[in-house]
Amino acid sequence: MFKLTKNLGIVAASILLLASCGGNSYEYPFQNPKLSIDERVEDLLSRLTPEDKIGLMMNGSTSVDNLGIPAYNWWSEACHGICAPGATVYPQAIALAATFDADQQLAIYETVSDEARARWNTTDHEQFGKTTATGGIWNQGLSFWCPNINIFRDPRWGRGQETNGEDPFLSAVMGSQVVKGMQGNDPKYLKTHACAKHYAVHSGPEKDRHRYDAVVSMRDLWDTYLSAFKVLVKDAKVQEVMCAYNRYEGEPCCGSGRLLTDILRDKWGYDDLIVSDCGAINNFYTKGQHETHPDAATASADAVLVGTDIECGTSYTHLVESLEKGLIKETDLDVSVRRILRARFELGMHDPKSMDPWANLGADDISSEAHHQLAIKAARESIVLLKNNGTLPLAKNLKIAVVGPNADDASMQNGNYSGTPTAEHTLSIIDAIRKAAPGAQITFDKVCELVDPYLTINRLTSLNEGKGLHAEYFNNQKFEGAAVASADYAEAISLRTMGDYRFAEGVNATDFSAKYTGSFTADYTGDMFYLLNAQGAVVLKVNGKEIVNAAENPNARRGRGNQVPTTKFPVVKGQTYNVELTYSKSNEGNAFINFNLCERRLPDYQAAAAKAKDADVIVVVGGLSARLEGEEMPVNFDGFDGGDRTRIELPATQKQLLAAMDATGKPVVFVNCSGSAIAFADVENQYDALIQAWYGGEGAGIALADVLFGDYNPAGRLPVTFYASTDQLPDFYDYSMNERTYRYFTGKPLYAFGYGLSYTTFSYGDAKLSKTSVKADAVDVDVTVPVSNTGSRDGDEVVQIYIKALNNPDAPIKSLEGFKRVNIKAGATTDVTIKLSAGAFEFYDEAIDELSVKAGKYQILVGSSSNDSDLKAYDFEVI
């Protein structure tokens, strides 16, 4: 046991006097908001025991009851809206990057932080701040672990959808707007925290992220992987940086002296919070992972000493042992705890509500109509028209056949790391098309799944005369007493407890049980399949026969639980089957259960084509979903591996669908919903128009319908390269940027970075440079270009500026360094001015092991995409 000396001395005595000034009385000086934050921090720090300090250094920070410090959880998510039920769900981050609209990005995240503060204000803080073994409740705080500014170097990476794409400049601009919108501009308090993640050199593969060592050149490290982080730290003043899972130079990123101490703390002067990715410290010593450290005590001590202040996980509980063994000193803990306490005071957590600038935000500010309309606007702006032979826009009185697995799946539109939009703000693509064109004759046929060669037909609707499985919930683990809640599920069951999610109103977050029952009479003879995945104990019986009995697995990895392989039981037409699924959850960890009953049969592509051939146009809605690409996922379909892809071509099921629709001879519009690039070269001749719709959030359906029918003129631009095939990609494990992204790729892509079409046309006049040469220490040049809308429709154009270094063979082929989205009326011309500063001409300088502006000749490239044919070059010199 350690003793903490509490001799406050003369300085503390003066603080105590200040604590009682102004007619207010405080038990402790740190409670006095009139004191400086430094004074409050030092007073509170002096009152903490070593155990108290360690308890504050984990994401689930435990309470300090004797001082009135409540528990708090630093882990909340807001990748594209707060992760909460009933929150506004904006387009996924990659889709927001496709808008190339920095002003709108700021406006969006100002509303996201509004909803965050509103949720904070409506949270039951007595429950939130209670003493628990694991600290405060997940996803109900004021610290948000976004944006993800990793470079989307390879389209196979499943988490690339969370990023701003493959370009460091675009990532820095859009990421900075996230930070500014989340953190606010109040002179006294931070509105919320933003967090730049995952630092650094991190972008898959997901299945090996806990063990691989990313090896890169200094050029790639500085010119690509660190560039956006530097901007967010030095310019946007992000309050948190999350270190990544993988190793760099042989050291785990959360224990990397070079990344955390030498670069982040020393070179960039960062003195705010560093948080670990969840479980990253465990990776240091867990067998089969990094294995760079012998045990938790050693790993935790090293992580703290290089600057990791907060661990997401529980390895830091072993810091008590670290202290006892002399691996770390209490004064070392104090360095981190000072930052933690300062952050809590800067967020206003310990001040009266009357001092809170956002105290007036409440439930009405979450998922408001204004936020919903902004979500629709953002979704419209994100849509990229990649091909159009004149088929689009569609008239609203046509016969339209809508087919494909993503057309009737509203949840797909949310992407990963999302909240859940309200029912009134949820509309699938097919429903939005019907709503937008009530005079059209519209048919719909799912035809096939995204990847699974078998079509899966939900059969829960067959239970209990169409009501689905009937659930009863008990606030104990033994199904005892009266049920505290009940519900019916006619759709696939997907329930979880995280933050304020519950299985049902009045049901415990842990220490509860559930019984799901129903009966059906089979209308076919064959197999009934079930899908079951749970964190908890599950038993499945059919007609009283036990076919699954899985005890809770306390060692299951996050999000995986007890995975029961998809399997089946036979059914005979006309016979009745009673289904009983029981579930119980202990009082440890989060609960979740996924369950479905379904029939599986091969798709009939020819029958679907026969039904569609009478249409005037066929709209195929396919692509991927966040159930296929995402974070460390148990997905093992052909072409998919652990959340990543092994091939980037369209899945075989959808190729068959597209071929069948093309064979009808009718015009085909392919709508691709994905968070990453698809290689369409092998099917490019099978559609007449191609729309990249991403995961567009709650406004996705309305936005797509507006584009299809010409109510909105598309102007999104690709934030990633759409390669022609997987063959154009280097080895996924190779972190060298050679032949990666438009900046280093020497081949010919199918659709280039920055590319996108419109329903109108634009032409560029000659640009004027305010200077044609500058000194290296005084780079400041304005580029002004006249842009004309030469078509018959008003529309947006995204003006892009790239820099090409002519005397630097190690520099990228070209790099985006400026852009502006502008609306131009039909027949009008607008002068667009973009300012370039020193950052536009910075490249890696081996002499200083940093970025610097190098003297030499450059070209300033101005145009509408990264394609050379779309750019005009202007000579420029740095002297």
Side-chain angles (χ1 to χ4, degrees):
M1 179 65 67
F2 294 85
K3 285 189 175 180
L4 183 64
T5 302
K6 295 187 178 180
N7 180 12
L8 301 179
I10 297 172
V11 173
S14 66
I15 295 175
L16 283 167
L17 283 173
L18 286 168
S20 60
C21 290
N24 292 319
S25 179
Y26 300 96
E27 184 176 0
Y28 304 109
F30 72 81
Q31 296 169 329
N32 185 356
K34 292 185 178 180
L35 295 179
S36 71
I37 286 179
D38 286 343
E39 289 171 319
R40 299 173 75 182
V41 167
E42 292 305 317
D43 176 66
L44 178 51
L45 185 67
S46 73
R47 301 175 188 280
L48 299 174
T49 67
E51 291 81 5
D52 292 336
K53 295 173 184 179
I54 292 167
L56 292 171
M57 292 176 65
M58 291 173 283
N59 72 285
S61 297
T62 54
S63 60
V64 185
D65 295 335
N66 63 305
L67 297 176
I69 304 299
Y72 177 72
N73 199 313
W74 291 91
W75 183 6
S76 294
E77 301 285 356
C79 181
H80 51 117
I82 61 172
C83 281
T88 304
V89 179
Y90 290 98
Q92 178 58 282
I94 191 71
L96 291 177
T99 69
F100 278 70
D101 191 338
D103 292 339
Q104 179 176 258
Q105 184 87 339
L106 176 61
I108 286 171
Y109 284 91
E110 287 174 339
T111 71
V112 174
S113 58
D114 279 350
E115 295 198 13
R117 274 285 174 175
R119 190 160 182 256
W120 173 262
N121 293 343
T122 55
T123 294
D124 180 356
H125 285 278
E126 184 176 348
Q127 168 74 13
F128 178 85
K130 70 178 183 180
T131 303
T132 67
T134 56
I137 300 173
W138 178 85
N139 219 17
Q140 287 189 341
L142 292 174
S143 42
F144 292 86
W145 291 349
C146 66
N148 182 340
I149 54 169
N150 292 133
I151 296 302
F152 199 176
R153 67 181 177 96
D154 192 303
R156 289 169 288 201
W157 185 36
R159 294 192 72 181
Q161 62 180 285
E162 303 167 32
T163 75
N164 298 306
E166 68 184 36
D167 181 75
F169 179 79
L170 181 63
S171 296
V173 170
M174 302 303 269
S176 292
Q177 298 295 70
V178 174
V179 173
K180 293 172 184 177
M182 293 299 293
Q183 295 184 174
N185 55 9
D186 185 81
K188 182 174 177 64
Y189 295 110
L190 289 161
K191 193 176 183 184
T192 70
H193 271 196
C195 176
K197 66 183 187 184
H198 309 82
Y199 182 78
V201 201
H202 178 84
S203 52
E206 282 297 300
K207 69 176 184 178
D208 289 323
R209 63 185 185 167
H210 304 286
R211 62 180 64 89
Y212 74 78
D213 188 6
V215 178
V216 297
S217 67
M218 288 297 101
R219 178 202 72 167
D220 288 342
L221 177 69
W222 286 96
D223 279 348
T224 298
Y225 292 111
L226 294 185
S227 181
F229 284 100
K230 181 180 179 181
V231 173
L232 265 65
V233 166
K234 293 183 70 67
D235 298 339
K237 307 300 181 185
V238 69
Q239 293 297 299
E240 297 182 25
V241 172
M242 177 181 286
C243 46
Y245 283 118
N246 55 283
R247 295 196 307 282
Y248 168 70
E249 294 183 331
E251 292 183 319
C253 289
C254 290
S256 169
R258 177 172 178 83
L259 290 177
L260 301 187
T261 304
D262 298 348
I263 296 175
L264 186 57
R265 297 291 192 198
D266 295 344
K267 277 185 180 289
W268 296 347
Y270 182 73
D271 194 32
D272 293 307
L273 294 175
I274 297 176
V275 303
S276 83
D277 208 338
C278 295
I281 309 303
N282 297 59
N283 299 160
F284 289 25
Y285 57 87
T286 300
K287 188 173 179 58
Q289 297 178 1
H290 295 318
E291 296 188 59
T292 54
H293 292 71
D295 51 45
T298 308
S300 299
D302 280 1
V304 173
L305 290 171
V306 299
T308 304
D309 304 303
I310 296 174
E311 181 218 3
C312 182
T314 57
S315 288
Y316 274 13
T317 58
H318 295 271
L319 284 170
V320 172
E321 180 184 351
S322 306
L323 287 168
E324 291 170 344
K325 291 182 174 180
L327 300 172
I328 197 169
K329 300 187 295 294
E330 186 178 347
T331 53
D332 297 321
L333 301 184
D334 290 348
V335 175
S336 290
V337 176
R338 279 189 180 93
R339 296 186 187 115
I340 292 166
L341 297 179
R342 185 179 72 216
R344 292 177 71 145
F345 285 123
E346 287 175 344
L347 286 164
M349 291 182 186
H350 305 297
D351 289 351
K353 189 173 182 179
S354 60
M355 299 181 69
D356 182 351
W358 305 282
N360 63 322
L361 295 171
D364 290 345
D365 297 290
I366 300 176
S367 193
S368 67
E369 184 58 27
H371 294 182
H372 178 55
Q373 291 303 318
L374 182 57
I376 295 172
K377 180 177 181 290
R380 289 188 187 112
E381 289 196 11
S382 73
I383 291 173
V384 187
L385 180 62
L386 292 174
K387 178 179 179 180
N388 185 22
N389 66 0
T391 300
L392 296 176
L394 304 176
K396 293 186 178 181
N397 59 354
L398 299 176
K399 293 181 180 179
I400 304 171
V402 180
V403 299
N406 270 336
D408 197 27
D409 185 359
S411 65
M412 169 278 302
Q413 299 163 183
N414 297 334
N416 75 349
Y417 276 88
S418 76
T420 307
T422 60
E424 60 268 30
H425 290 164
T426 301
L427 200 63
S428 68
I429 288 172
I430 180 61
D431 286 341
I433 290 173
R434 288 169 176 151
K435 183 177 179 179
Q441 298 180 47
I442 298 170
T443 61
F444 169 67
D445 188 350
K446 181 179 178 180
V447 185
C448 65
E449 301 297 334
L450 292 168
V451 180
D452 192 336
Y454 286 87
L455 178 63
T456 299
I457 303 165
N458 173 33
R459 284 293 182 172
L460 288 184
T461 55
S462 303
L463 275 68
N464 293 336
E465 298 179 339
K467 294 179 181 179
L469 276 178
H470 179 69
E472 294 179 295
Y473 295 100
F474 307 85
N475 278 336
N476 57 74
Q477 297 178 48
K478 298 181 178 180
F479 315 95
E480 293 177 343
V484 296
S486 63
D488 294 299
Y489 300 95
E491 299 293 331
I493 295 173
S494 182
L495 300 167
R496 58 177 171 156
T497 59
M498 297 181 82
D500 61 0
Y501 286 91
R502 295 290 184 273
F503 274 38
E505 187 71 27
V507 179
N508 292 342
T510 56
D511 189 21
F512 73 97
S513 56
K515 185 179 293 183
Y516 304 88
T517 57
S519 63
F520 68 93
T521 300
D523 59 3
Y524 69 97
T525 296
D527 291 318
M528 179 70 76
F529 289 79
Y530 60 86
L531 295 85
L532 178 58
N533 184 19
Q535 180 58 51
V538 289
V539 176
L540 177 63
K541 296 180 180 179
V542 178
N543 285 346
K545 180 181 179 182
E546 190 175 277
I547 59 176
V548 173
N549 189 334
E552 182 169 358
N553 179 7
N555 299 314
R557 294 177 66 180
R558 178 165 62 94
R560 295 206 174 187
N562 302 318
Q563 292 176 35
V564 178
T566 300
T567 188
K568 58 192 178 181
F569 57 89
V571 297
V572 177
K573 186 175 181 178
Q575 292 189 10
T576 298
Y577 297 85
N578 297 307
V579 177
E580 179 185 86
L581 174 66
T582 57
Y583 173 84
S584 61
K585 183 69 185 74
S586 67
N587 58 6
E588 294 294 331
N590 296 312
F592 71 83
I593 185 169
N594 301 308
F595 178 73
N596 198 12
L597 289 177
C598 51
E599 177 190 357
R600 287 162 55 81
R601 62 174 182 241
L602 290 171
D604 191 337
Y605 296 104
Q606 298 311 311
K611 287 192 291 185
K613 70 179 182 180
D614 292 332
D616 297 313
V617 63
I618 301 170
V619 178
V620 181
V621 187
L624 304 174
S625 86
R627 290 184 286 272
L628 294 170
E629 56 175 348
E631 182 176 9
E632 198 176 11
M633 300 166 62
V635 178
N636 297 303
F637 287 113
D638 183 38
F640 296 81
D641 187 13
D644 300 318
R645 288 185 287 159
T646 58
R647 296 190 304 274
I648 62 171
E649 282 74 18
L650 199 66
T653 53
Q654 296 180 62
K655 286 184 181 181
Q656 291 176 271
L657 172 62
L658 194 53
M661 296 303 112
D662 177 55
T664 66
K666 295 302 175 70
V668 175
V669 178
F670 191 86
V671 177
N672 186 65
C673 302
S674 68
S676 55
I678 304 290
F680 288 108
D682 59 348
V683 293
E684 172 75 352
N685 63 345
Q686 294 180 3
Y687 50 78
D688 300 277
L690 176 62
I691 292 174
Q692 177 62 27
W694 313 103
Y695 304 134
E698 67 182 49
I702 294 171
L704 178 62
D706 286 345
V707 168
L708 286 173
F709 295 111
D711 295 322
Y712 182 79
N713 189 355
R717 299 292 187 266
L718 291 180
V720 290
T721 300
F722 271 47
Y723 299 92
S725 70
T726 306
D727 294 339
Q728 292 183 323
L729 301 177
D731 180 7
F732 191 10
Y733 285 82
D734 181 1
Y735 264 72
S736 165
M737 291 306 296
N738 186 44
E739 293 297 331
R740 291 196 182 279
T741 77
Y742 80 94
R743 298 169 74 234
Y744 298 100
F745 180 54
T746 59
K748 182 176 175 56
L750 186 62
Y751 299 113
F753 174 91
Y755 178 78
L757 298 174
S758 170
Y759 292 152
T760 189
T761 54
F762 297 93
S763 67
Y764 285 65
D766 292 332
K768 293 181 179 179
L769 310 184
S770 62
K771 303 168 186 174
T772 56
S773 66
V774 295
K775 293 183 178 180
D777 60 354
V779 177
D780 183 11
V781 58
D782 290 340
V783 180
T784 302
V785 59
V787 182
S788 300
N789 183 337
T790 55
S792 59
R793 289 175 177 256
D794 298 348
D796 288 0
E797 172 68 344
V798 178
V799 180
Q800 301 163 46
I801 295 182
Y802 297 82
I803 300 298
K804 186 178 184 69
L806 300 179
N807 303 131
N808 184 351
D810 292 328
I813 297 168
K814 64 173 81 75
S815 290
L816 180 73
E817 297 296 349
F819 63 86
K820 185 175 288 187
R821 182 169 180 142
V822 292
N823 183 265
I824 306 176
K825 301 293 184 183
T829 298
T830 298
D831 285 341
V832 179
T833 299
I834 297 174
K835 182 179 290 292
L836 299 177
S837 58
F841 301 91
E842 282 188 338
F843 298 96
Y844 176 64
D845 188 337
E846 186 176 1
I848 62 171
D849 192 29
E850 247 279 24
L851 301 177
S852 72
V853 179
K854 291 187 175 183
K857 295 185 181 297
Y858 296 83
Q859 284 183 336
I860 295 176
L861 309 173
V862 183
S864 59
S865 86
S866 65
N867 276 322
D868 288 339
S869 59
D870 292 331
L871 296 168
K872 290 183 181 180
Y874 302 88
D875 292 333
F876 188 76
E877 187 175 11
V878 176
I879 55 178

